[in-house]
Structure formats: C-alpha cells, structure tokens
Amino acid sequence: MALLLSAHTGRASAPAAWHLEAVGAPAAWATSTGAGVVVAVVDSGVDADHPALEGAVLPGRSYVDVDPGAEPRLLAFGSDPGPVYERAFGQADPVGHGTAVAGLIAGREAGHSGVAPDAEILPVRVLDDENRYHDSAMVGAAVEWAVDNGADIVNLSLGGHYDSPPFAEAIAYAEAHDVLIVACTGNQRAEAPAEDVWFPARVPEVLAVTGSDEDGRRWKTAVTGEETDLAAPGADLTAPKPGGGYKTVTGTSFASAVVSGAAALVRSAHPEWSADQVRRALTGSAAGAGAGLGGGVVDAAAAVDAEVLPRASGTAESAISPVWSAAATAAGGGLLGASALLLRGGRGHRGRGRLPGRPRTMAG
C-alpha cells in the first residue's frame, strides 16, 4: 500500500474531479490503480499524443474507410503491421469522442486522472467523422478483434435502436472468452418520449450504464429502463480533447467510461476473478439506488473491497448463456452454438478463466 501511495503522490496531491470522488476512485487507488488491465475503447480512435494519455495507448486498429467513395468498402485499416497504420488509424481521433472516453478511463495527467490511471487503452476505431457507425457487423468484428488482441474489458460508448445478430454474436464471443462488455444506455432529447435502452446495452450479459448528475440523480437526457444495471456520473465531466487541452462532456458515453474504469480497478485488484465476478462486484456494491439508476451509482472502492465467489458449478458456467441463444435465434437458428464460440479464437496466453423510428447507430 505504501508503494502504491508513493507512486501516485502526484494524483493524490491534486484535487480529484467531482466524478472521481462520487465513485470512490481515490479511495480505491490505495489498493488498485488498474495496472495490468487492458480496456478496449471501440470508438472514434484515441489521440495517443495527448499528455493525459502518454504511455497509456496501445497500437490499435481502425475499421473506418477513410475514402469510401460511392460504395463504402468497410476495410479494416490498420491490419498491416507497422507504425504508419497504427498512428494514422488506431492512435488518432478526428472526432474527439474516443479520446474523451479513454481519458476518463485511464488519464494519467496530474489533476486529470482517469478512474484507472494505470490501465492500458486498446483503441479500435469504428465511428466515422460524424461520430456514427453504419454497419453493426463491422462493430461486432471490432469487438472480436479486441478480444483476440488482449482486451480484458471492452467499452462501447455507442449503440442504436435495432438489434444486430452479428453484433450479438461478437458479444457472445467476448462472454465466452471472459471479457467484460460495458455499454451506454443511450441519450435522448429531454422533452422527447422515453426511449428504450439502446442495443447492445440491453443485451443481458452487457453491463448497461446510464448517466447520473452531481447530486446522484439520473441525468435528464440519459436513457434508462429495466435493462439498466448501473449509473455513473455522465454530466459536466472534464475530459481530454485531441491535440491537447480539455473540454466538458455530457452523455451516457462518458458514464460508461467511468464504469469501465471502475471495472479495470476491480480486475486489477482481483486478477483471478472472472468477468462475471467483476460484474457482480460492481452491481452488488453500487450505492444510492434511485429512479432510473438500475442498482445505483457505481462505487469503485466498495467494488474493489467486495468478496464475490465464483458461481457454483452447474449454474451459469455450464449453461448456454442467453446471449448465445439470442444470437443463434436471431441469425436463423443453429448458426451460432456454444461449441462454435468456445472453439473460435482464443486467449490461451491468459492465466485466468475469463434495438422505433429511423435507425440510430451513434456514439452515446
């Protein structure tokens, strides 16, 4: 503990942002800072040169066609090895959304710490220059790539109104490989009728996060519903912007980032825990449950200190997960079985078990 406190004197001496105090992050840092955990930010890219993210961003990949022409090619730029592709596509952000998300998760600059300042960010770009994605199967492919390339947690600060079988299959793939998926519930206009929780947050295995304000109440434009698992600060947060400096951000995208940071603290403190145990630690220790907040506002310190046993043999581990069944049914039945998921790809180097109106597919 003394070593941890000494290593993070700079963070401890600077006043913590209100959202960090609200989720108990400074208290958790005495035990865990996210070291050894990789969080994939499937988003608009991440500015790896921002001082807040120096040394935190791994080489990534982009699924956005930078020159689509009349027919978007949906090519996976960045698949070739080498710094040109990595810098041009994986570690750059023309929009700013992904950089803000990454900074809230793992920012390292004094006075602007992320929730898990020693976690690493794996950037995977799927959002175009208008902060939208146009092919949910492409986002699913990005999730699978992140799983295969070392992600322990995947943050999805995006979503839409319609279900997607290929995307659901990718979530099942992550579940099969013990990778925790965190997603935002969505945003809407304050005066509009209540929207349903966005896909993929409404998938049962996804940790669905809505936004709260500084008083611990649901933010007025944050979508919520019975699928909501947790809330986290999502209004008037300070986050890094590409090219340097900071900006104020609001939305469930950023609440999701805060929960992904808390999840990184838990995974770092308990490397032997499964994604299911991390999920239950976060939901079981949340505080101040109120209208639309799911189980309550995430409490990182309480989650790190929680005691969560593995599920008994013969329950969740031996059954086919509902998301696998849903993906198979949506895809026409029989196309996606548990055995196929378990045999595809792998992370053997790890030592632990790990959808009304027009479609909207966008950042949250």
Side-chain angles (χ1 to χ4, degrees):
M1 182 179 294
L3 288 174
L4 282 170
L5 289 171
S6 175
H8 297 283
T9 301
R11 292 175 193 131
S13 62
W18 76 265
H19 69 277
L20 295 175
E21 296 286 1
V23 301
W29 292 339
T31 302
S32 173
T33 56
V37 176
V38 175
V39 183
V41 173
V42 180
D43 213 287
S44 63
V46 174
D47 178 10
D49 293 325
H50 194 288
L53 293 165
E54 184 177 356
V57 185
L58 299 168
R61 190 176 189 181
S62 176
Y63 285 78
V64 175
D65 188 345
V66 294
D67 184 21
E71 297 182 3
R73 295 170 290 168
L74 299 177
L75 299 178
F77 289 102
S79 57
D80 296 334
V84 173
Y85 282 103
E86 292 167 2
R87 300 297 293 170
F89 300 108
Q91 295 185 330
D93 180 8
V95 177
H97 190 267
T99 299
V101 167
L104 290 168
I105 295 171
R108 299 180 175 185
E109 191 169 30
H112 295 285
S113 177
V115 177
D118 285 331
E120 292 183 297
I121 299 295
L122 180 65
V124 191
R125 187 183 176 199
V126 297
L127 299 178
D128 64 16
D129 289 356
E130 296 180 350
N131 226 25
R132 292 176 177 270
Y133 64 92
H134 303 281
D135 186 333
S136 57
M138 175 188 70
V139 183
V143 169
E144 292 193 11
W145 183 87
V147 170
D148 289 341
N149 284 272
D152 301 293
I153 298 159
V154 174
N155 184 85
L156 295 171
S157 291
L158 48 77
H161 287 149
Y162 297 136
D163 292 352
S164 164
F167 200 167
E169 180 180 350
I171 292 168
Y173 185 72
E175 176 80 3
H177 290 80
D178 203 37
V179 175
L180 179 65
I181 303 284
V182 182
C184 63
T185 55
N187 308 308
Q188 64 177 87
R189 295 189 304 275
E191 68 278 7
E195 290 189 10
D196 292 336
V197 169
W198 288 3
F199 178 92
R202 60 174 172 254
V203 173
E205 279 69 21
V206 173
L207 196 56
V209 182
T210 193
S212 57
D213 62 18
E214 199 162 352
D215 295 320
R217 296 189 293 260
R218 182 180 70 86
W219 180 247
K220 57 189 176 182
T221 60
V223 173
T224 193
E226 62 180 12
E227 301 93 342
T228 301
D229 294 306
L230 282 174
D236 299 324
L237 309 185
T238 300
K241 61 181 181 180
Y246 291 84
K247 62 182 179 180
T248 300
V249 296
T250 294
T252 59
S253 283
F254 311 109
S256 177
V258 170
V259 170
S260 287
L265 294 180
V266 177
R267 289 216 94 155
S268 179
H270 303 282
E272 76 284 1
W273 279 9
S274 67
D276 175 68
Q277 286 173 280
V278 175
R279 182 187 298 113
R280 288 188 285 131
L282 292 165
T283 56
S285 63
L293 299 179
V297 177
V298 67
D299 186 331
V304 165
D305 290 341
E307 295 184 9
V308 182
L309 297 176
R311 292 188 189 272
S313 178
T315 57
E317 276 72 14
S318 63
I320 295 178
S321 164
V323 71
W324 297 351
S325 177
T329 300
L335 296 180
L336 181 66
S339 60
L341 281 168
L342 292 169
L343 290 171
R344 288 182 58 193
R347 301 168 73 224
H349 61 289
R350 298 286 182 186
R352 59 191 182 204
R354 298 263 218 244
L355 252 156
R358 61 186 178 85
R360 298 175 64 192
T361 51
M362 64 198 76

